[in-house]
Amino acid sequence: MKIQTLGALWFSMMCAGIHAQSLQSPDGKFEMNFQLKQGVPYYSLKYKRTVVVEDSKLGLRLFKDVSVPFAAEIARPGNGENDLNSGFTKADEKRDAKNETWQPVLGEKKNYINHYNELAVTLHQASTDRNIIVKFRLFNDRLGFRYEFPQQKNLNYFVIREEDSEIDFPTDMKAWWIVADYDSQEYQPQTTKISEIPRRWDQAFDKHSSQTLIKNAVQSPLLLKKEGKEPLYINVAEAAVLNYPASHLEVDAQNFRFKTHLTPDKQGAKGYIQTSSVSPWRTIIVSPKAEEVLDSKMLFNLNEPTKYTDTSYIHPTKYMGVWWEMIIGKSKWAYSTANNVHIGETDFTKLTPNGNHAANNTKVKEYIDFAAENGFDGLLVEGWNIGWEDWIGHHKEFVFDFITPYPDFDIKMLNEYAHSKGIKLIMHHETSASATNYERWADEAFQLMNKYGYDAVKTGYVGDMIPRGEHHYSQWSINHYYRIAEKANKYKIMVNSHESVRPGGESRTYPNWVSAEAARGTEHEVFKGNNPDHQTILPFTRWIGGSMDYTPGIFQTKMDYYFPGDKRFVQTTLAKQLALYVVMYMPLQMAADLPENYRKHMDAFQFIKDVAADWDDTKILSAEPGDYIITARKAKGTENWFVGGITDENKRDYTVDFSFLDKGKKYEAIIYEDGKDADYISNPQSYHIYHKTVTSKSRISFKMERSGGFAISIKPKN
C-alpha cells in the first residue's frame, strides 16, 4: 500500500480545491477530476466515490527542433524547454454531452450506444506561448482522454520524444499481460500481481521473426482486477490510433503505476506531428463485473464514423483455407526447390518442383468442392504466387509482386471453377514486412483481384519492417496499414491483416478493415503452444478493440496423426473448438482444419456450418478472465441464437439460463458438449450431441472438461 504524508495530502487537497475541474458520467457513478499542480496537469478517477485512479500526470516531451540529428539528441536528456508537460495555466474549458445510437457495418450487436459527458480543458504555456487541449470523455463504465494540438503561431510542427501519460493505481492488483514489443503481440499472456511483473518479465516471451522488446513494459490492452469483497475489473487500452505510433505501458511495480511508452522510428523519434492534430485516446474501462468489460464498446465509440460512401461490399464471410497443412508442415508454400529467386527474372517454369506445393490446381479444386458442399462463402489460398522460395529472413525488399501465380496455379480457371460452385477465392498478400514493396504493387494487385472476382484479402507482415529500421507499430507503419485499407476500399475489397497493429475500434472509420490477427492465434498451438487459459483471456484484452482472425475449428488436435512421434498438439477439446466460434467475434470466420478431418466428424462439423458470423445481439452470460467465458449471440437478421462456453485447464460446471430467449416461444436446441471421458490431452475428440426443446424458462447444466467447452445452436420451432 502506498503511503502519503499528511502534509502532502493537505497540499494536494488545497491544489485540487483551487484548480480542479470535475466531470461526472451520465449515470453519476464515475467522477473524473482534472487539476494543475504547480503548472503540471493531473487527472484522477473515482467509481462510487472510491478512488480507482490516483492523481496521474499528463504531458509530452518533445525534441528541441524538427530537424535535429535524433540519434545524437536522444543520447542526452532534453532540458525540458520545449516540452508540453509543465508551466501551464488553464485558459478555457468547454463541456459537451452526447447520447446516440449507431449501427456498425459488422458488429457484435445491431446497435451501439454512445453516451458520454465531455470536458475539454485548454492549457496555456506562457514560456512558449502555446496552447494544447486535454479532452476527457466519461461514459457510464469508462474514461477516455486525449491531447489535441490546435494550429497556432508557435506550434505548427513538432517531433515527439515521448508521451508521458500516467495511470497511477492506489493498490496492487491482479494483472493479465503480455510483454511489450515494438514488433509483435504474439506472446503467451501472463497472470501476476502488478508488483510481480518485473520478476516474471524475463520468462514471459519466446522468439519471433521480428522482435524488439521493451524491458519491464507490457502491452495494451491490459486487464487488471482489484480482488476482494468489492472487486473491480479494469481494462487499459487505446483507441483511434491514427497518424501516431501504437503505445505500450512502462511498469512502476513498486507504485502500481503505468506510463505510456510510444513506438519509435529508426531515428528514435516517436511521432512527427503537424497541427492541427490529435493523439489517440487513452482508455480506462472499469466495472465490478467482468461481463461488462467484455460488453464495452467504448473504443469503437471513440472513433469517428466512416466517410466511406459505399459499404455494401462489406459482408461477413465463412471460409476455409489452403493454410493449416502448411502450418503443421504437411505441405509447403513454395513451388520449387530453389532458395534464391528474382521476381521478374527467374523463370519458375524451369525450376524443379518440390513436389509438396499446396496451392496447386488439383488440391485447390478439392478444397473448393468441400467448401461448396458445406455452404461456405470463400476459400483462402496461400502460396499461390511466386516468391516463396526465399521469402523470409533475408531483409529482401522485392520479395513478391502479388500478381504472378506459380506454374501449377491457374488463377483464371480456379476462380471460374470456384464461382461456378458459389465460392469466392480469398486473396493472400504476404508482404514479408516489405511494406514499401507492397505499396508499389498495391494498385496492380487489387486490380488483379477485381479482374478475377476476389473481394477479400489476407495481408501478412512476417519479419522485420521495410523501410528498414521501422517497427510494426511505429507511426510510418500505422499510416501504411491505413493507406492499404483506404486503397482497398477504392477497389471494394475487405482486409484481414496479420502481424499488423492491434485494433483500437478503428473499424468504425475503416469498416473494410474487417479483421486482424495481432495476437497469438491458433497457429501457435503447433509452434510453441497456447496454454489452455489463453482463449479465456484474449476476449478481455485483444478483442476489446476489434475482431481477430483466430482461425479455430481444429478437429485433429494431435500432430502425431500426421507425423508419428510428433508431440505437438492443440490444447483444447473438440467441443471447445466449436465454442470458440461464439465466444470469439470473427466476421471473417475460418474453419481452419483439413477437409479430411471434418469428414470424420460431420455431426460436429454441422455446428461450424450453422453458426453465424455477424450478430444482432450479444449477451455475456458469465465470465472470469483466465478461467471461463459463456456467451450467447443472436444471428444477424434472424431469430436464431448460438451459445458457447469455454474453460481453462480446470474442469468446470455451468448451467445455462435461457431467459434471453423470447417468452412464450419454443426453440429447437442442438447441444454439442464434451464427452464424459473427454480430456484435452488424452481424449480431445470425445464429444456428445443431442437435441432438446427449450424455452425462456429452460435451464441446462454442462460439465466442461479440462480445456473443454460446449456449443448450442438454437432455432425457433415452427
Side-chain angles (χ1 to χ4, degrees):
M1 198 72 166
K2 287 188 273 190
I3 299 173
Q4 189 174 28
T5 67
L6 288 175
L9 181 61
W10 176 85
F11 179 76
S12 175
M13 292 172 63
M14 288 295 292
C15 290
I18 295 172
H19 299 290
Q21 284 77 42
S22 295
L23 180 67
Q24 287 196 331
S25 60
D27 64 5
K29 293 181 180 179
F30 285 89
E31 180 181 330
M32 189 282 305
N33 285 290
F34 173 83
Q35 61 181 307
L36 292 171
K37 297 183 184 180
Q38 297 181 327
V40 177
Y42 288 79
Y43 75 98
S44 61
L45 182 65
K46 293 181 181 179
Y47 172 70
K48 292 184 176 180
R49 299 183 179 182
T50 298
V51 174
V52 176
V53 177
E54 295 183 324
D55 286 349
S56 302
K57 288 182 182 180
L58 298 169
L60 299 97
R61 285 175 281 148
L62 310 183
F63 285 102
K64 182 179 179 181
D65 190 87
V66 296
S67 59
V68 296
F70 292 114
E73 179 75 2
I74 290 170
R76 59 179 184 271
N79 58 19
E81 293 179 358
N82 206 44
D83 294 342
L84 290 169
N85 57 12
S86 64
F88 289 116
T89 57
K90 191 188 83 169
D92 190 21
E93 71 172 79
K94 293 181 180 179
R95 294 178 182 268
D96 199 358
K98 179 172 281 190
N99 187 2
E100 66 172 357
T101 299
W102 60 279
Q103 291 76 40
V105 177
L106 301 173
E108 296 182 77
K109 296 183 178 183
K110 183 177 183 179
N111 297 308
Y112 286 4
I113 297 172
N114 186 22
H115 191 193
Y116 62 81
N117 292 330
E118 180 179 285
L119 169 66
V121 182
T122 300
L123 301 177
H124 178 68
Q125 190 179 58
S127 62
T128 60
D129 192 23
R130 297 179 299 182
N131 289 343
I132 67 168
I133 298 169
V134 184
K135 181 173 285 185
F136 299 91
R137 287 183 182 170
L138 193 52
F139 301 76
N140 285 338
D141 65 347
R142 58 257 189 207
L143 170 68
F145 65 87
R146 75 178 182 189
Y147 304 95
E148 300 185 353
F149 310 104
Q151 184 179 358
Q152 57 206 276
K153 178 182 178 181
N154 293 332
L155 195 64
N156 285 293
Y157 301 89
F158 62 93
V159 182
I160 298 173
R161 180 191 290 268
E162 187 60 279
E163 181 186 326
D164 290 329
S165 303
E166 294 184 353
I167 306 177
D168 195 347
F169 294 107
T171 187
D172 204 1
M173 288 185 284
K174 191 174 184 179
W176 290 266
W177 54 276
I178 61 173
V179 295
D181 186 336
Y182 297 147
D183 290 293
S184 180
Q185 293 136 354
E186 300 182 22
Y187 294 104
Q188 290 274 19
Q190 307 295 311
T191 307
T192 68
K193 292 285 191 178
I194 296 173
S195 60
E196 298 168 344
I197 291 175
R199 291 201 298 272
R200 175 72 66 83
W201 195 92
D202 285 331
Q203 292 81 46
F205 58 88
D206 46 19
K207 183 65 177 174
H208 290 277
S209 62
S210 184
Q211 184 174 58
T212 314
L213 297 165
I214 311 163
K215 180 70 173 178
N216 289 340
V218 301
Q219 296 201 39
S220 70
L222 166 71
L223 184 68
L224 304 168
K225 181 184 180 181
K226 176 187 174 185
E227 299 179 290
K229 294 182 180 179
E230 297 181 351
L232 279 180
Y233 298 85
I234 301 170
N235 178 283
V236 177
E238 61 181 344
V241 183
L242 306 169
N243 193 27
Y244 205 91
S247 71
H248 314 270
L249 296 166
E250 296 177 8
V251 182
D252 180 344
Q254 183 175 357
N255 294 297
F256 323 131
R257 180 185 299 128
F258 296 89
K259 189 193 78 66
T260 301
H261 180 111
L262 302 179
T263 304
D265 69 1
K266 58 186 177 182
Q267 299 185 96
K270 299 197 172 186
Y272 299 82
I273 308 299
Q274 178 181 358
T275 61
S276 58
S277 64
V278 299
S279 76
W281 293 91
R282 307 295 164 216
T283 65
I284 308 170
I285 301 170
V286 182
S287 177
K289 297 180 179 180
E291 295 84 359
E292 291 179 351
V293 173
L294 287 179
D295 203 37
S296 177
K297 297 295 175 281
M298 177 176 69
L299 273 67
F300 301 92
N301 287 330
L302 289 170
N303 282 267
E304 294 298 315
T306 187
K307 294 181 180 179
Y308 291 178
T309 57
D310 178 19
T311 59
S312 61
Y313 69 94
I314 302 169
H315 56 85
T317 301
K318 294 166 69 79
Y319 73 100
M320 299 186 68
V322 182
W323 173 76
W324 184 246
E325 60 182 83
M326 291 94 95
I327 293 293
I328 64 177
K330 190 171 182 283
S331 301
K332 296 181 182 296
W333 283 273
Y335 164 78
S336 77
T337 59
N339 59 14
N340 186 328
V341 297
H342 295 265
I343 304 300
E345 298 178 20
T346 299
D347 185 348
F348 284 83
T349 65
K350 295 180 179 179
L351 298 181
T352 302
N354 60 35
N356 208 17
H357 179 227
N360 64 74
N361 293 333
T362 300
K363 181 170 290 186
V364 171
K365 288 176 72 174
E366 291 173 354
Y367 271 87
I368 291 170
D369 290 342
F370 185 82
E373 290 166 8
N374 290 284
F376 283 82
D377 305 308
L379 176 71
L380 169 71
V381 183
E382 295 197 7
W384 69 275
N385 57 317
I386 61 172
W388 287 90
E389 282 76 5
D390 59 355
W391 75 283
I392 189 171
H394 306 297
H395 303 280
K396 181 180 177 181
E397 184 174 16
F398 192 11
V399 59
F400 297 112
D401 68 8
F402 311 101
I403 62 172
T404 307
Y406 276 126
D408 60 349
F409 185 89
D410 187 333
I411 189 170
K412 182 177 184 295
M413 179 274 291
L414 287 171
N415 275 281
E416 289 175 349
Y417 185 80
H419 297 163
S420 73
K421 301 270 186 170
I423 296 292
K424 283 191 174 184
L425 296 188
I426 295 175
M427 180 55 75
H428 184 229
H429 288 165
E430 175 55 59
T431 70
S432 193
S434 181
T436 50
N437 183 54
Y438 192 31
E439 291 198 15
R440 283 195 294 270
W441 285 93
D443 279 298
E444 289 185 63
F446 292 155
Q447 287 165 9
L448 182 81
M449 290 179 64
N450 284 173
K451 178 180 178 179
Y452 291 113
Y454 294 86
D455 67 357
V457 60
K458 174 184 175 181
T459 62
Y461 295 87
V462 175
D464 292 333
M465 288 296 289
I466 299 175
R468 296 179 179 90
E470 288 289 345
H471 296 292
H472 285 71
Y473 315 138
S474 61
Q475 183 187 32
W476 188 95
S477 298
I478 298 295
N479 291 342
H480 162 78
Y481 303 135
Y482 290 109
R483 284 194 293 270
I484 293 299
E486 289 172 339
K487 189 175 290 291
N489 174 61
K490 175 182 174 182
Y491 292 96
K492 309 301 181 189
I493 290 169
M494 298 180 290
V495 177
N496 169 22
S497 63
H498 280 230
E499 297 87 32
S500 63
V501 71
R502 62 183 177 270
E506 295 86 1
S507 61
R508 184 184 185 188
T509 311
Y510 299 90
N512 68 319
W513 192 350
V514 174
S515 195
E517 184 187 36
R520 195 179 182 98
T522 297
E523 63 192 16
H524 281 273
E525 295 277 12
V526 294
F527 295 165
K528 296 185 179 179
N530 291 336
N531 294 332
D533 65 352
H534 184 59
Q535 300 92 351
T536 68
I537 298 171
L538 279 181
F540 286 97
T541 53
R542 163 61 184 79
W543 250 275
I544 286 293
S547 67
M548 177 184 174
D549 186 25
Y550 191 74
T551 63
I554 305 303
F555 282 12
Q556 180 48 258
T557 61
K558 298 295 187 72
M559 294 305 104
D560 63 1
Y561 170 81
Y562 309 102
F563 315 107
D566 193 325
K567 297 186 182 302
R568 297 175 298 161
F569 70 103
V570 178
Q571 298 186 49
T572 77
T573 66
L574 189 151
K576 185 176 183 179
Q577 287 290 315
L578 300 181
L580 294 177
Y581 287 92
V582 184
V583 171
M584 295 175 164
Y585 172 56
M586 297 171 289
L588 285 180
Q589 183 189 93
M590 187 180 196
D593 210 340
L594 310 185
E596 66 190 61
N597 295 325
Y598 290 136
R599 287 193 182 96
K600 298 174 184 177
H601 305 279
M602 291 302 292
D603 54 351
F605 188 56
Q606 187 64 45
F607 182 82
I608 297 178
K609 293 168 60 175
D610 290 342
V611 68
D614 197 32
W615 310 98
D616 270 345
D617 199 7
T618 291
K619 297 185 183 298
I620 311 301
L621 303 183
S622 187
E624 179 63 24
D627 290 344
Y628 60 89
I629 301 176
I630 319 294
T631 303
R633 301 189 193 266
K634 186 180 182 182
K636 181 68 68 68
T638 77
E639 295 301 314
N640 301 335
W641 284 83
F642 297 86
V643 181
I646 62 173
T647 185
D648 60 357
E649 70 278 8
N650 298 302
K651 295 183 179 182
R652 206 173 302 274
D653 295 341
Y654 183 79
T655 299
V656 174
D657 180 341
F658 289 85
S659 57
F660 55 84
L661 298 175
D662 289 346
K663 294 181 180 179
K665 289 186 177 181
K666 291 185 178 180
Y667 297 80
E668 177 72 14
I670 307 176
I671 291 95
Y672 305 78
E673 63 181 2
D674 289 323
K676 292 182 179 179
D677 58 347
D679 184 85
Y680 78 100
I681 296 176
S682 62
N683 198 13
Q685 292 182 330
S686 173
Y687 58 88
H688 176 229
I689 302 172
Y690 66 97
H691 293 242
K692 187 177 181 67
T693 299
V694 297
T695 70
S696 62
K697 297 180 180 180
S698 297
R699 308 288 185 272
I700 298 179
S701 296
F702 291 90
K703 291 185 178 294
M704 293 183 282
E705 300 300 327
R706 296 195 308 155
S707 197
F710 63 88
I712 313 173
S713 172
I714 307 167
K715 297 181 180 180
K717 298 189 75 170
N718 295 328

